[in-house]
Amino acid sequence: MDAAANVAARQPRAAAAGALAAGVGGCVTAVTFFGGASGDGSVAWLGLLGAVLLLGAAGLAALGLIAVPRLDGVGWAAFAALLCLVGWWGIGVIWSVAADRSWSALNKGLLYLVLFGAGVLLGALGSRTARVAAGLLGAAVGL
C-alpha cells in the first residue's frame, strides 16, 4: 500500500514538472520564432507570456509540486550582471536623446530577465530535462 501511495504522490509532481517544461518550451519557441528580430512589436506579448509562466511556477513551487530553484555562485553572478545591465538601460532613459529607443532596450532587457528566470526554472526540473530542452532549442534554431 505504501508503494501505491508513493506513486500517487509523484504523479501530480510529474504532471506539474511536465507542464512547466512545456510552458518554458512554448515561451522559448515564441521568442525564437516570433520575437521580431531587432523589432519590439512582440516584446509585450512575450513578456506577458513569460510573466504568466513565472507566476504559475511560483504557485507550483508554493504548493510543493516542483522544486524551488537554487542558484550557485556563478548563477548569482550571471543574474547580478544581467540585472545591472537592465538597470543601466533603465537609468539610461533619463539622459537619452532617443528615449523611445531607450525604452525599447529596457523592455527587451526586462524580457531577458524573465527568460533568465524561465531558464533557472527549467534547470530546477533536473539535468535531463534541461539537456532535452537545450537539444530541442538547438535543433529549432538550426533549422
Side-chain angles (χ1 to χ4, degrees):
M1 186 68 175
D2 188 36
N6 193 14
V7 169
R10 280 187 294 199
Q11 286 177 340
R13 289 190 173 131
L20 180 60
V24 170
C27 188
V28 170
T29 301
V31 168
T32 303
F33 293 109
F34 307 110
S38 62
D40 58 352
S42 60
V43 171
W45 294 107
L46 294 172
L48 181 63
L49 175 68
V52 167
L53 176 72
L54 289 180
L55 288 174
L60 291 173
L63 293 173
L65 295 176
I66 62 170
V68 177
R70 305 270 188 239
L71 291 176
D72 59 358
V74 174
W76 279 113
F79 176 70
L82 182 59
L83 190 62
C84 288
L85 179 64
V86 173
W88 182 256
W89 286 338
I91 292 170
V93 172
I94 296 170
W95 66 74
S96 177
V97 174
D100 58 335
R101 296 227 183 235
S102 296
W103 274 111
S104 177
L106 176 61
N107 289 338
K108 287 180 182 180
L110 293 173
L111 181 59
Y112 296 157
L113 283 171
V114 168
L115 292 175
F116 182 88
V120 169
L121 289 171
L122 189 62
L125 295 178
S127 62
R128 180 175 181 266
T129 305
R131 279 195 305 270
V132 169
L136 290 174
L137 179 61
V141 171
L143 293 176

